[in-house]
Amino acid sequence: METPEQIKARLEAAVPGAKIEILPNDCPAGERSLLVDPAQVLAAAKFLSADPQLRLDFCSNVTGVDWPETEITEKIKVKRVVDGVEKEVEEVKKTVRPGFLEVVYHLYSMELKHGPVVLRQRTANRDPEAPAVSLTSVWRGCEFQEREVFDLFGIRLEGHPDLRRILMWDGFKGFPMRKDYVPPDDFEYEPTPHDEVLEQAKKHYPPEVKA
Amino acid sequence: MSAVAAMPPKNYEILPKTSETGETIGELLEISMGPHHPSTHGVFRMDVVLDGETVVKLKPVFGYLHRNHEKIAENISYLGSMPYTDRLDYFCSMTNNWAYALTVEKLAGLPVPERAEYIRVIMAELTRLQNHTCLIGFFVQDMGALGTPLMYAFREREKILDLFESVSGARMMCNYMRFGGVRCDVTPDWLAQAKQLVDGYSRFLDEFEALLTQNEILLARTQGVGVLPRELVVNASLTGPMLRAAGVNYDVRKVDKYGIYGRFDFKVPLGEHGDIYDRYLVRVLEMRESVKILQQALRDIPSGPVMDPKAKLRGFRPKAGEAYGRIEAPKGELGFYLISDGSANPYRYRVRPPSFINLTVLEDMCLGHRISDTVVILGSVDIVLGEVDR
């Protein structure tokens, strides 16, 4: 099968305005993935499924990943003049990477029996129901899995025919698979909460109440 | 005080049936089938709209067994998730273990000893035998064959579960495989017992088929029912016997050749019409192929260690990266997707459940059939709710 670089070059030629980034994967046997902007992902998916050399007709796995805002610390060497002498000093550089949500697709070809090609799209931020684009119109197999991504991660996949909660009940508040989700503590009532239960209970009440 | 008690909520609704010009020409009945219905194989619900006895709309409703398996796994160690995978598809814990172990091995680049690979194949094919046997038992019971075929199926399943119990300590929740091998070795005595069972299995299948394959009721209820065209099956990501019954030659054992499947001589049975009868036949033929694989594996199994000596289970921290691993489980393609950030817990842990995705086309299969056929169609999908709802 073609390498991610070859697929990227052909995708950029076929989809006007597409900016595609190849994400590295440090795992030795793992596949590198193609990051596509949500605005072009539908056109890119149509190309990948119809292209005679790729024929990625089988979308095996669809899932979401939550990447909250993190501070990345890097050690960089900077040249600086210390006491009149130019020296190389190590400095800690802190950058804040804004948070985003990601939808990951694992594509295979049943006809040509190759794969996987990993396709990703990212939302702009972690707002409740942040928008991305649904690929159910290309691969019907995404239908329930994308509903699950909406249900558990809160990614609104635009263009989905029936975007409702699927595993949680209608009327449930919150998105359980996000990293900052706090589970409710009232499933197991304790009259005198202590230790871990007390710590968890405090998260649900305003500070002055203190459970 | 009000003397009249509140009426219990209705589990049906009467909707107007309108013609194309908008006139009311009759009534439709919307009923909730499940979650406590014996034919739904667990707590699964279908919202069905009926015109007389014909299904005009069907929406599956999930989540009655949802426990957020993925979130639990993100908060415990890699090894800690292994017993949880048993509970996904509780009929096939051995293949669930294998899929998870395979993905972690891919993520961390761990080798697996030769003998452990053979043991894994033996366990997976025994699992396939008992899963398909039981499924056929359940599915003919849905058609009204109460008892007899199911009891024959369970008799055979119990023999396989005895083998599992003697090697892993548990009948169903085996928790047997580890990253870099299997938990404990099998004895020569166990292998002899397994060989005896496998050699006798073809005879059981002949007996089972004599009861069912040419049975007039089974033919009438299954041929031409729940037909899936080839294009839809591929587009809807169906896998396993559902896919192959529609004539698509795709078996992960042949395509990926994971483990040591490249060494065995076996065929992939394919259907022609994509109806329920083909799904039944594909499963029976798959069992006959499994018997062949088992005979080869039991003949060729080498001696040696069953666990890679360098494998570290406790305090296991793979390098940052991600991997997607998949195997051909009895119900279809079972995949695991792991993202590691270098810590002791997976950053992201995802299960690709085959029976959940195979339900995507349930409505397409049922439309236009009678309500009694939806029961048989659902039975032929082969779902286990532990895996569907996770």
Side-chain angles (χ1 to χ4, degrees):
Chain A
M1 204 187 61
E2 290 175 299
T3 59
E5 282 80 11
Q6 287 169 316
I7 299 174
K8 180 192 167 187
R10 293 208 300 128
L11 256 178
E12 281 178 334
V15 182
K19 264 183 268 162
I20 292 152
E21 198 185 322
I22 297 175
L23 298 181
N25 185 359
D26 298 333
C27 157
E31 298 81 18
R32 287 172 298 159
S33 43
L34 301 166
L35 176 67
V36 186
D37 207 53
Q40 284 96 24
V41 74
L42 191 62
K46 278 179 185 156
F47 173 79
L48 292 174
S49 72
D51 184 68
Q53 284 176 48
L54 289 168
R55 284 293 293 137
L56 298 166
D57 49 5
F58 169 44
C59 177
S60 171
N61 179 43
V62 182
T63 188
V65 188
D66 180 18
W67 301 95
E69 187 177 286
T70 45
E71 204 171 59
I72 301 168
T73 50
E74 282 178 294
K75 276 185 183 171
I76 46 164
K77 286 184 177 174
V78 193
K79 281 187 180 173
R80 233 193 235 146
V81 183
V82 183
D83 305 330
V85 190
E86 198 182 45
K87 271 187 185 174
E88 217 172 55
V89 189
E90 250 191 20
E91 230 179 46
V92 179
K93 188 187 160 201
K94 281 186 183 172
T95 45
V96 176
R97 191 199 62 194
F100 56 87
L101 298 155
E102 205 172 39
V103 193
V104 188
Y105 298 83
H106 284 86
L107 311 173
Y108 287 84
S109 172
M110 278 195 185
E111 199 180 306
L112 304 174
K113 298 200 169 42
H114 61 209
V117 170
V118 190
L119 189 70
R120 299 175 110 93
Q121 53 170 328
R122 285 176 180 175
T123 61
N125 49 44
R126 291 177 74 248
D127 282 348
E129 309 203 358
V133 175
S134 161
L135 300 184
T136 304
S137 55
V138 184
W139 296 288
R140 174 95 191 276
C142 299
E143 187 181 339
F144 284 177
Q145 302 189 71
E146 285 189 336
R147 264 178 79 184
E148 193 187 311
V149 168
F150 165 73
D151 185 4
L152 302 181
F153 287 91
I155 305 174
R156 200 176 72 246
L157 291 149
E158 282 171 359
H160 191 282
D162 184 21
L163 201 62
R164 290 178 290 135
R165 285 197 180 267
I166 186 165
L167 293 172
M168 309 304 286
W169 55 97
D170 299 334
F172 179 83
K173 296 267 189 309
F175 304 108
M177 281 303 289
R178 288 201 181 187
K179 292 282 173 188
D180 52 5
Y181 176 75
V182 182
D185 55 74
D186 50 356
F187 292 141
E188 291 171 48
Y189 172 73
E190 281 198 34
T192 52
H194 55 87
D195 301 341
E196 285 172 23
V197 180
L198 180 64
E199 284 308 307
Q200 206 189 5
K202 278 179 186 170
K203 291 182 191 168
H204 290 278
Y205 304 112
E208 65 270 17
V209 178
K210 289 264 163 74
Chain B
M1 248 178 89
S2 133
V4 183
M7 289 289 286
K10 285 189 294 186
N11 60 354
Y12 65 92
E13 192 108 20
I14 292 171
L15 310 168
K17 180 185 174 189
T18 48
S19 67
E20 282 169 21
T21 52
E23 294 163 55
T24 307
I25 49 169
E27 283 174 344
L28 297 175
L29 182 67
E30 181 179 3
I31 55 167
S32 168
M33 205 167 155
H36 300 288
H37 190 281
S39 77
T40 56
H41 297 238
V43 279
F44 175 68
R45 184 158 79 90
M46 291 177 280
D47 250 340
V48 196
V49 179
L50 298 174
D51 179 5
E53 265 196 88
T54 314
V55 177
V56 293
K57 192 181 152 201
L58 184 145
K59 289 283 169 216
V61 182
F62 305 94
Y64 292 96
L65 211 59
H66 180 55
R67 59 223 182 254
N68 218 338
H69 174 76
E70 295 175 7
K71 188 84 174 180
I72 295 170
E74 283 171 19
N75 290 320
I76 54 176
S77 67
Y78 282 87
L79 179 64
S81 295
M82 188 58 91
Y84 277 113
T85 60
D86 291 339
R87 275 97 182 145
L88 281 171
D89 174 357
Y90 41 77
F91 267 79
C92 317
S93 60
M94 287 289 190
T95 46
N96 297 344
N97 286 176
W98 192 3
Y100 181 52
L102 186 93
T103 313
V104 176
E105 282 152 13
K106 190 176 168 188
L107 182 71
L110 297 173
V112 182
E114 185 94 350
R115 186 175 171 86
E117 291 277 27
Y118 273 91
I119 295 175
R120 285 179 176 189
V121 170
I122 293 168
M123 295 303 174
E125 295 306 322
L126 284 174
T127 304
R128 200 179 313 277
L129 284 183
Q130 60 106 350
N131 179 73
H132 285 356
T133 311
C134 283
L135 182 265
I136 293 170
F138 278 126
F139 142 82
V140 293
Q141 192 179 26
D142 289 344
M143 288 188 293
L146 289 174
T148 312
L150 184 66
M151 288 303 129
Y152 282 170
F154 266 60
R155 182 189 68 199
E156 294 306 308
R157 173 181 184 238
E158 214 53 44
K159 291 180 192 166
I160 294 174
L161 293 190
D162 282 347
L163 286 177
F164 287 170
E165 186 179 9
S166 67
V167 72
S168 74
R171 289 165 71 243
M172 291 169 79
M173 303 295 136
C174 299
N175 181 18
Y176 181 58
M177 295 185 194
R178 291 289 180 269
F179 324 135
V182 295
R183 202 178 70 209
C184 44
D185 201 354
V186 294
T187 59
D189 194 33
W190 188 93
L191 288 172
Q193 281 178 28
K195 190 164 188 327
Q196 198 189 358
L197 180 131
V198 168
D199 291 342
Y201 217 83
S202 298
R203 223 183 121 235
F204 161 71
L205 286 176
D206 292 341
E207 180 191 297
F208 209 44
E209 273 208 272
L211 274 176
L212 298 172
T213 303
Q214 296 296 323
N215 184 300
E216 209 173 315
I217 301 172
L218 189 121
L219 293 175
R221 291 294 302 273
T222 57
Q223 286 190 331
V225 178
V227 181
L228 282 173
R230 201 188 151 104
E231 302 73 44
L232 177 66
V233 166
V234 175
N235 196 249
S237 304
L238 263 63
T239 45
M242 291 275 285
L243 173 78
R244 292 189 286 274
V248 183
N249 184 0
Y250 196 79
D251 187 318
V252 184
R253 289 178 293 175
K254 286 279 189 195
V255 176
D256 280 10
K257 295 192 172 58
Y258 61 91
I260 48 164
Y261 271 113
R263 295 182 197 175
F264 299 110
D265 170 35
F266 67 102
K267 294 193 183 81
V268 180
L270 297 179
E272 202 177 327
H273 309 96
D275 58 0
I276 301 180
Y277 189 66
D278 277 10
R279 275 169 227 152
Y280 159 78
L281 276 185
V282 163
R283 288 195 172 101
V284 172
L285 293 172
E286 238 174 53
M287 283 197 275
R288 295 196 185 272
E289 295 301 318
S290 286
V291 169
K292 273 201 233 163
I293 298 175
L294 278 165
Q295 280 168 339
Q296 294 169 47
L298 289 166
R299 185 192 64 207
D300 299 342
I301 183 167
S303 57
V306 293
M307 193 74 196
D308 182 42
K310 283 181 195 154
K312 192 178 161 196
L313 296 175
R314 294 187 193 279
F316 174 71
R317 285 164 188 267
K319 280 186 204 151
E322 60 171 65
Y324 179 65
R326 54 179 196 158
I327 68 161
E328 184 71 33
K331 294 183 168 62
E333 178 190 317
L334 175 66
F336 278 82
Y337 175 55
L338 294 170
I339 301 182
S340 162
D341 60 351
S343 69
N345 303 349
Y347 183 81
R348 178 81 181 97
Y349 168 105
R350 150 86 179 162
V351 188
R352 183 224 189 257
S355 47
F356 175 64
I357 295 161
N358 287 356
L359 283 174
T360 309
V361 289
L362 184 65
E363 186 178 15
D364 302 56
M365 285 192 281
C366 292
L367 288 185
H369 286 297
R370 278 171 301 170
I371 181 86
S372 52
D373 287 334
T374 61
V375 171
V376 189
I377 291 169
L378 182 69
S380 76
V381 181
D382 190 4
I383 57 167
V384 159
L385 269 294
E387 182 180 72
V388 172
D389 287 345
R390 281 157 294 139

